[in-house]
Amino acid sequence: MKLADLLTQKKSQIVARWINLLYDSYPPETAIFLKKEKDKFDNPIGYGISRGLNGLFETLVQEMEREQILAALDEVIRIRALQDCSPSQALAFIFLLKNIVREELAEELEQQNLMEELQELDARIDGLSLLGFDVYTRRREKLQDMRINEVKNRVSGFLRKSGMSMNDI
Amino acid sequence: MAKVPKPSELLPGISYQPPAKGWMDVKPDFRPGTYCNPAAPKWMEWIGYPYPQARSIPDNEWGLPDNWQEIVLQGMEDRLDRFRSLKLFFDICVRCGACADKCHFFLGTGDPKNMPVLRAELLRSVYRRYFKKIGRVLGEIAGARDLSEDVIKEWFFYLYQCTICRRCSLFCPYGIDMAEMTLLGRELLASVGLNIDWAMASVAQCYDKGSHIGATPQAFKDMIDFLAEENERITGITTTPSYNRKGAEVLFVTPSGDYFADPGSFTLMGYLLLFEYIGLDYTFSTYAAEGGNFGWFISHEMGKRLNSKIYAEAKRLGVKWILGGECGHMWRVCNQYMPTYWGEPVNFLEEPVSPITGTRFENAKIHKMVHISEFTADLIKNGKLNLDPQRNAHIKLTFHDSCNTARGMGIFEEPRYIINNVLPEGHFVEMPPNTIREKTFCCGSSSGINASENMELRMQGGLPRANAVRWVYEQYGVNHLGCICALDRATLPTLLEYWVPEMQVTGITEMVGNALIFPDEIERTTDLRDRDLEGFGEAAEEDAEEGE
């Protein structure tokens, strides 16, 4: 069996571990809550992480457009970009998948000759991380833009009166 | 020398279990983006607030007065005596945790100290240490701790991560109101010179010039006149606002966000059209040019000072009652605090009666101020408005219940009634029940913390709200978020720019302005924002040509 098939077969276990590992990076009280609360509106961080990691996993087992991959990364990174001070902390979660796959598929990896495919997966996870830096930077730049736009917008009615637009200042 | 960290070592909870630290030992992380700048001394001097001094959060030295502990403890003792609520809320909590996961700041930041139960404990621990025998004797074992500079810093950090929205209170079996504790905690901070600049600047400007943005009377009038001209250009209807006119029946007060910033200014255009349509005898005041009350975010005393301004002006002008625009905390102050501030009903005004429908607003008999949504819903209910919902066909709306009007005073149905009358059928979609009405999620930027320097914090606090908005966008193609609060109109566009950029924010009266049919209007081809209407003007002609 190919690695991609094995990954698809064990998707739920692998992604669940990935999600839980990321939850564990929050303070213990918060991690308990994130794991317990299943309502997506009462647990928006949990919902965002779960939706994002499920989507990201799919990008590794299926072929997808670059924009779809970036969108999947953005689901998680836009939360992390607010909560973590450094890009390394915000993006560390992507690399965790390598170990999870090795642990979840330990037997299969040993029995079947999958080393080449595993290397290929590792490389794709690395690629995902590099794209993650693009997404992270985009999010941080957006925050800066929003700061500027908000200052301008506070007098937007006045700008309109003066015949100017937000772009004029 | 250290090894390069593995990815798992960069995430603290994963590679090792952090030593079980008690909450008292975890210090706040004043990371840029998560806190508001301290108030500049000039604002404090303007309104006579104590210990004005240039301060910087990253500095260890916050410039507290020498006897700051004495001031804070004396202030706490005084407030325990004056506010039974504070003493009750300190004593009665059994830490059941019902509130723990209800705060939007906890849900968005994941910081346990934003669990309301723990945020309250920041204050309660000091109360226990100095005002309860058990705390004095047993100290930390009894959840008590000394009042240190670290504690004060922690208060500053977390009391400005509470938007006084009271969602936690809804779920507390005892009804403990975190907002009360936050407000009084902020008073204690202010008593030793610690205030945030964004709120303090707004307060000082409002106190000195008449509005939070510091607009002069001339600028205020100019701006509203301009919006009246815009109305005329788009609808052909001349609206004629008056200013400081003695003897008008009604004083109209609205937040400065409605006349200086989009999209609030479109809502103000809606007010002008509505009042023109019904022939309301009203006046603006350049002195009461601010409906909002950032003073209340600093202290009850300052809240009272700014609130009094509106009523002093109503008295001077000799109006019968006050009509208030789409604002949130203006209403919370009137409904929840004003009777206590004043100690008696407002006797120089009359119980509001709609001059158009004759409806008596008994709910406003104490403060004599009617919310525009109550007023408009009554007009529609009595068939006084000729409305064409098709003019809002380009809008598919969901409604954000603003905390102050919804949880604070129970305005749930009026805006929905208006919405259903100004939108075509099927164009209004509710967000999930656990995110609206009394359970509504806060915008995450209210209570004076809509500064720009704390943007990361605001985006986290607003995540629960945005998450529900995104859901109706994805499920039903909703493209507008409606609200009846000027602070929402100022802050939700930014929140949505981050989380759901496809959505726009609108006031409800703006849509009323779009839908109103005046007998002598020009052909309407755009809405009040100059956006083409669906099925009107060129769009209608194109449709007709296609049909042929």
Side-chain angles (χ1 to χ4, degrees):
Chain A
M1 195 183 271
K2 285 188 165 186
L3 182 60
D5 298 329
L6 285 170
L7 287 170
T8 308
Q9 214 173 56
K10 289 230 172 174
K11 178 188 169 182
S12 56
Q13 294 97 308
I14 293 171
V15 175
R17 271 188 76 171
W18 200 11
I19 291 170
N20 278 334
L21 262 183
L22 191 46
Y23 286 168
D24 284 336
S25 70
Y26 288 86
E29 301 88 340
T30 308
I32 292 169
F33 165 76
L34 292 174
K35 290 174 188 175
K36 188 188 70 180
E37 179 58 65
K38 300 298 178 202
D39 185 295
K40 60 183 165 200
F41 302 109
D42 288 334
N43 183 2
I45 294 179
Y47 174 57
I49 286 176
S50 160
R51 178 173 160 156
L53 295 191
N54 270 293
L56 273 183
F57 189 83
E58 285 301 320
T59 66
L60 291 168
V61 293
Q62 288 181 34
E63 291 207 356
M64 284 196 188
E65 297 293 329
R66 187 185 169 92
E67 282 310 310
Q68 285 176 296
I69 300 170
L70 294 176
L73 280 163
D74 189 49
E75 284 291 339
V76 181
I77 292 173
R78 61 177 166 176
I79 297 174
R80 306 292 288 177
L82 299 171
Q83 293 175 337
D84 296 294
C85 47
S86 64
S88 58
Q89 284 182 318
L91 299 177
F93 75 92
I94 302 173
F95 297 92
L96 302 179
L97 186 61
K98 290 185 181 178
N99 264 352
I100 298 171
V101 168
R102 281 169 171 75
E103 284 169 21
E104 280 295 324
L105 299 177
E107 244 175 65
E108 291 87 341
L109 290 172
E110 203 175 287
Q111 287 165 6
Q112 301 173 32
N113 184 18
L114 293 170
M115 195 47 71
E116 207 173 307
E117 287 182 60
L118 189 63
Q119 276 177 356
E120 164 83 10
L121 177 71
D122 283 350
R124 292 200 180 284
I125 294 173
D126 292 342
L128 210 51
S129 312
L130 291 172
L131 290 176
F133 281 98
D134 294 348
V135 175
Y136 178 86
T137 309
R138 212 187 275 176
R139 278 288 162 189
R140 296 299 302 179
E141 283 170 355
K142 186 166 188 81
L143 282 168
Q144 298 308 324
D145 287 347
M146 282 161 50
R147 283 196 177 98
I148 297 165
N149 287 341
E150 199 173 62
V151 171
K152 288 183 187 177
N153 197 48
R154 280 177 189 141
V155 290
S156 52
F158 182 72
L159 289 177
R160 197 149 59 90
K161 178 177 178 293
S162 315
M164 292 194 284
S165 75
M166 294 267 280
N167 294 328
D168 291 333
I169 56 168
Chain B
M1 291 258 275
K3 286 183 180 173
V4 174
K6 296 175 186 170
S8 59
E9 287 166 352
L10 289 165
L11 295 172
I14 296 177
S15 54
Y16 63 95
Q17 194 59 34
K21 271 189 185 174
W23 67 265
M24 289 186 197
D25 301 319
V26 180
K27 305 288 176 229
D29 178 13
F30 282 96
R31 192 157 49 83
T34 62
Y35 59 84
C36 294
N37 293 333
K42 71 169 178 180
W43 306 127
M44 294 162 68
E45 283 159 7
W46 278 22
I47 57 169
Y49 258 54
Y51 309 110
Q53 186 179 320
R55 295 179 167 88
S56 163
I57 296 299
D59 288 351
N60 273 338
E61 184 52 59
W62 280 19
L64 298 174
D66 291 340
N67 60 337
W68 67 270
Q69 278 165 311
E70 192 188 325
I71 297 169
V72 170
L73 291 174
Q74 184 58 51
M76 192 178 258
E77 187 174 352
D78 168 53
R79 283 163 184 79
L80 285 166
D81 189 42
R82 281 198 292 138
F83 297 89
R84 264 193 313 180
S85 54
L86 184 65
K87 189 160 173 25
L88 187 71
F89 296 156
F90 274 169
D91 283 334
I92 203 172
C93 176
V94 291
R95 292 171 226 27
C96 69
C99 62
D101 52 1
K102 303 301 184 288
C103 173
H104 51 290
F105 275 112
F106 170 66
L107 296 180
T109 62
D111 182 343
K113 283 192 187 170
N114 274 324
M115 293 176 171
V117 58
L118 198 41
R119 197 190 288 117
E121 205 67 12
L122 306 180
L123 293 162
R124 201 179 273 125
S125 53
V126 173
Y127 162 72
R128 243 180 247 125
R129 166 68 182 79
Y130 295 95
F131 299 95
K132 301 293 277 186
K133 195 184 244 175
I134 188 164
R136 274 197 295 262
V137 175
L138 294 177
E140 210 170 303
I141 299 168
R145 62 177 175 169
D146 290 339
L147 179 61
S148 64
E149 279 203 28
D150 280 347
V151 170
I152 282 289
K153 288 177 181 177
E154 197 176 39
W155 285 7
F156 183 83
F157 193 61
Y158 287 104
L159 295 181
Y160 284 102
Q161 289 190 34
C162 166
T163 42
I164 320 183
C165 83
R166 294 170 76 226
R167 190 169 193 267
C168 53
S169 173
L170 188 73
F171 295 89
C172 173
Y174 290 113
I176 294 174
D177 190 346
M178 182 69 228
E180 293 288 312
M181 286 184 272
T182 296
L183 285 169
L184 295 173
R186 288 185 182 184
E187 284 190 6
L188 293 174
L189 289 170
S191 71
V192 290
L194 299 179
N195 302 282
I196 59 169
D197 194 62
W198 179 248
M200 199 45 117
S202 303
V203 168
Q205 300 269 22
C206 186
Y207 190 64
D208 190 66
K209 294 202 174 83
S211 66
H212 290 153
I213 54 170
T216 59
Q218 293 87 340
F220 172 75
K221 179 179 180 302
D222 267 7
M223 199 59 219
I224 293 173
D225 284 347
F226 164 69
L227 294 172
E229 285 164 22
E230 284 288 276
N231 268 336
E232 190 164 352
R233 179 177 63 79
I234 293 165
T235 67
I237 299 301
T238 309
T239 50
T240 49
S242 64
Y243 305 89
N244 304 334
R245 180 163 60 85
K246 286 191 175 177
E249 181 172 0
V250 173
L251 169 64
F252 181 65
V253 180
T254 204
S256 49
D258 276 355
Y259 55 85
F260 244 75
D262 300 336
S265 52
F266 303 114
T267 302
L268 195 134
M269 288 165 70
Y271 301 147
L272 297 180
L273 286 169
L274 176 68
F275 300 156
E276 188 65 32
Y277 185 92
I278 59 173
L280 187 70
D281 177 18
Y282 76 104
T283 184
F284 282 99
S285 160
T286 57
Y287 300 97
E290 180 59 75
N293 189 335
F294 272 41
W296 176 59
F297 301 148
I298 291 173
S299 70
H300 284 303
E301 182 271 332
M302 202 63 227
K304 182 179 176 180
R305 268 205 255 175
L306 296 190
N307 170 262
S308 316
K309 236 159 48 79
I310 296 173
Y311 285 85
E313 189 58 357
K315 192 174 187 178
R316 186 181 77 84
L317 295 173
V319 300
K320 288 184 181 168
W321 53 279
I322 303 170
L323 182 60
E326 294 186 15
C327 181
H329 58 276
M330 165 162 75
W331 296 98
R332 176 94 163 271
V333 170
C334 288
N335 277 267
Q336 203 174 336
Y337 293 99
M338 215 183 110
T340 315
Y341 287 171
W342 290 53
E344 58 179 5
V346 181
N347 292 323
F348 53 83
L349 297 178
E350 294 177 13
E351 190 173 310
V353 174
S354 168
I356 317 301
T357 65
T359 299
R360 185 171 290 276
F361 292 93
E362 291 173 2
N363 57 322
K365 68 181 171 193
I366 304 284
H367 49 69
K368 314 291 198 291
M369 191 190 269
V370 176
H371 191 287
I372 187 81
S373 292
E374 297 171 316
F375 184 70
T376 310
D378 174 62
L379 290 170
I380 297 173
K381 183 89 179 166
N382 285 284
K384 301 293 182 190
L385 303 183
N386 190 10
L387 300 163
D388 181 0
Q390 282 308 316
R391 289 180 183 176
N392 285 314
H394 54 304
I395 295 173
K396 194 156 187 188
L397 186 96
T398 192
F399 181 66
H400 163 66
D401 289 276
S402 307
C403 307
N404 287 313
T405 47
R407 259 193 302 277
M409 60 184 288
I411 294 190
F412 302 124
E413 301 307 332
E414 291 87 343
R416 287 177 169 80
Y417 183 74
I418 300 168
I419 289 165
N420 280 319
N421 277 281
V422 298
L423 283 181
E425 208 176 327
H427 280 236
F428 174 46
V429 179
E430 291 276 19
M431 284 180 275
N434 47 343
T435 72
I436 55 168
R437 295 179 179 262
E438 58 271 81
K439 291 181 186 163
T440 185
F441 278 119
C442 178
C443 62
S445 299
S446 186
S447 82
I449 65 164
N450 54 321
S452 296
E453 66 267 17
N454 60 336
M455 192 61 84
E456 280 89 327
L457 175 75
R458 288 172 49 193
M459 293 305 106
Q460 292 174 79
L463 168 58
R465 171 76 296 157
N467 185 42
V469 173
R470 188 180 175 199
W471 187 74
V472 286
Y473 161 70
E474 289 179 343
Q475 294 290 315
Y476 304 105
V478 168
N479 56 15
H480 281 73
L481 177 61
C483 58
I484 52 168
C485 166
L487 258 181
D488 281 333
R489 279 192 292 279
T491 64
L492 287 174
T494 310
L495 181 75
L496 296 179
E497 193 182 338
Y498 192 82
W499 295 109
V500 204
E502 299 83 359
M503 296 283 285
Q504 297 195 51
V505 176
T506 178
I508 303 306
T509 313
E510 176 188 340
M511 296 191 300
V512 174
N514 284 339
L516 269 178
I517 305 171
F518 287 78
D520 49 350
E521 66 185 14
I522 57 174
E523 188 194 7
R524 300 277 278 272
T525 55
T526 68
D527 67 2
L528 298 181
R529 298 189 191 193
D530 275 329
R531 297 179 301 189
D532 288 336
L533 297 181
E534 283 183 10
F536 292 84
E538 282 177 21
E541 282 165 25
E542 279 168 22
D543 288 348
E545 279 170 23
E546 274 174 29
E548 284 164 15

